[in-house]
Structures are given as C-alpha cells and as structure tokens.
Amino acid sequence: MTVPYFEGADGTSLFYTDWGSGDPVVFIAGAWLSSSSWEFQMLPLSESMRCVAVDRRGHGKSDWVGHGYDYDTLADDLAALLDHLDLRDVTLVAHSMGGGEVIRYLTRHGYDRVSRAVMISVTAPLAIRTADNPGGIPQELFDAALAVRTKDRPQWMAQNTQAFFATHLGKKVSSELIEWTVQRCLDCSAKAAVEAVKTGFCTDLRAEAAALRLPTLILHGDADASAPVAICGRRLAELVPGSVYKEYPGTGHGIFMTDADEVNQDILDFIAKS
C-alpha cells in the first residue's frame, strides 16, 4: 500500500493525494486550504490524467510545524514532492499564494520536471504597497485586517465567504459548500494562517515572474476581493512573457469552485495547446 506522505525540505511530513494515471497535473492550494479543496478539478480530470495535490505544511493532514512558511522552503517542499513521485512533464496548477510557490519553484529548481503552469486567482506578483508598487494594498490596512482575522479566525472566515464566492454578484453556492469551505480553512494551524498570508501578500516576485520561460495560463476573476485583479492577475499577465490571460467577469477569489466547469475546460485546452 502506498503511504500518501513524503518528507519536505527539512524532514517535515507532508500529505498528498494522487488519483488517476497519465500526464501529471499537480495542484497547489491557496493559504488555509488543503488538497481537498481541489475536488472539483481532481475528480473529473483524473479520469484522463494523473492528478496530484499536496497539503502545504501547517495545512490539512501535513505536520503543523511552526516554521518554513517562506517561499524558499515551500518551493523546496514542492520540489521534494515532484522528486518523491518522480513526476515529469508536469502541469502545475496553483491558487492564490500557491502561485508564488510555483514561481519560486521554477526560478529556484528549474524546468526539468515542469512543462507548463496555470495560475488561478494568485496573489503574485506583489500585492502589498511599496514605493515602486503604489497601487498595492497599504501595509497598515493589511496589518489591521490580519489582526482582526487573528483575533477570531472562525468568525472572520464565516463573514467573508460572500467575497470569496461572489454570491453578492449572483454566484449560486450552497450553504453546505460554504460551511465546508470555511471548515477546510480552519483545518490549518493558527501559525500557518498568519505566516502564509504574510508570505503570499508581501513577497516581491515581479523580477522572477518576468524571468519565467514556460507556457503560462493566468485565470482571474474581475471581482476578486482577496487578490485584486488590477495588481495581481493583470499585472502578472503583463510580466510573464507569452502568458495567456483570461478574466472571468463578476467572479471572486474562488473561481475554481464557482466556475469549476469552465476552469477545468480552460486547463484542458491549455494543456492540449501547449
């Protein structure tokens, strides 16, 4: 029996899901979410390809360690997964801060195992405001939101599902799916919930994004409240050479759930063409 765990960069025990056979697609979830959040992609796509998803350290069934939430370590964890399964010709599919892990993996470990990347609602290239990124989120607003979220994480997550799913814009999402998603977000450690967000929003990946040299598909909702499209999706598309960009109207941060069929078809078409 295959044990669905491997050792990360520093010996941390990390959990993964591995379904299907054929060309490999590896899914990297956003902060707080785990491999289980990709069921709307993995279930149908695993009928024709090999679908692998990983629980980031501190998330889901992986070790709840108190360190290693920087992109270097997370990229090394991803490298350890690809090495453990000896995957090649990989399509990396990332959501939210997972996009930063993909970018750092590629600039740190190269392209030997990876052929293409799909970025869904990612926070890259730089979401926080700096002197040369004036359109970003002000640091004081980021810090204030982090403090409120940390004070009562369950309440904050329950109150912000509307923005995640864009239900206020007409997206039809069951109350049960909303509750399930909130619980998945709570299935990460308090430490991971804080440190992963800091990494995802405050790491400058602009130069690394501009240096990417592989087919890249970028999908983003124009009503994304978590990773604003003007400073994330559109900006990333401008930086990544030759990238394919698609914007989903009236759609929030959770497009891989609310618009799963369209996202899945976009992924399949992109793989077929690249």
Side-chain angles (χ1 to χ4, degrees):
M1 179 182 294
T2 301
V3 178
Y5 286 91
F6 68 101
E7 284 195 358
D10 54 4
T12 298
S13 180
L14 302 173
F15 175 85
Y16 68 94
T17 303
D18 187 356
W19 297 347
S21 61
D23 295 336
V25 182
V26 176
F27 296 89
I28 305 99
W32 315 334
L33 292 168
S34 63
S35 57
S36 62
S37 66
W38 290 109
E39 69 173 67
F40 299 106
Q41 282 67 50
M42 291 189 62
L43 192 59
L45 297 186
S46 62
E47 294 296 319
S48 59
M49 56 188 63
R50 184 177 182 181
C51 292
V52 178
V54 62
D55 285 2
R56 181 183 295 105
R57 58 177 58 216
H59 293 64
K61 298 178 182 178
S62 291
D63 280 355
W64 282 24
V65 293
H67 59 276
Y69 297 101
D70 58 284
Y71 273 140
D72 280 354
T73 305
L74 297 175
D76 291 348
D77 286 346
L78 177 56
L81 171 67
L82 301 189
D83 290 347
H84 175 74
L85 297 176
D86 192 23
L87 299 178
R88 299 185 182 277
D89 192 24
V90 174
T91 300
L92 293 176
V93 179
H95 174 248
S96 197
M97 77 163 292
E101 289 171 59
V102 168
I103 293 171
R104 181 60 54 85
Y105 169 85
L106 293 169
T107 56
R108 188 171 171 87
H109 293 277
Y111 303 87
D112 287 348
R113 294 187 179 276
V114 179
S115 296
R116 63 195 65 79
V118 179
M119 309 284 198
I120 303 173
S121 308
V122 300
T123 54
L126 178 61
I128 206 74
R129 179 179 294 177
T130 62
D132 63 348
N133 191 44
I137 300 166
Q139 186 71 51
E140 60 271 20
L141 292 183
F142 174 82
D143 292 341
L146 182 60
V148 170
R149 183 165 59 246
T150 303
K151 183 177 181 179
D152 192 335
R153 199 158 48 113
Q155 181 186 60
W156 186 93
M157 289 182 178
Q159 291 177 342
N160 283 270
T161 57
Q162 181 185 76
F164 182 85
F165 289 109
T167 53
H168 59 300
L169 298 176
K171 294 295 179 182
K172 303 300 182 183
V173 182
S174 70
S175 60
E176 291 82 4
L177 178 57
I178 290 173
E179 292 173 5
W180 180 87
T181 304
V182 170
Q183 187 56 56
R184 297 292 78 72
C185 289
L186 293 173
D187 287 342
C188 75
S189 74
K191 182 68 171 177
V194 170
E195 297 302 326
V197 171
K198 289 180 179 178
T199 295
F201 278 82
C202 302
T203 304
D204 188 349
L205 296 166
R206 290 175 293 180
E208 291 171 73
L212 293 183
R213 294 294 182 270
L214 84 170
T216 304
L217 172 65
I218 300 168
L219 307 176
H220 216 100
D222 69 356
D224 193 326
S226 299
V229 65
I231 60 173
C232 296
R234 294 173 189 167
R235 182 64 180 133
L236 185 64
E238 292 172 354
L239 289 173
V240 178
S243 60
V244 178
Y245 179 65
K246 178 177 178 179
E247 203 163 287
Y248 285 57
T251 307
H253 198 54
I255 60 175
F256 66 104
M257 292 183 176
T258 60
D259 296 70
D261 290 344
E262 188 173 353
V263 166
N264 294 347
Q265 192 59 55
D266 286 338
I267 293 172
L268 288 171
D269 291 345
F270 177 68
I271 292 173
K273 293 176 181 177
S274 59

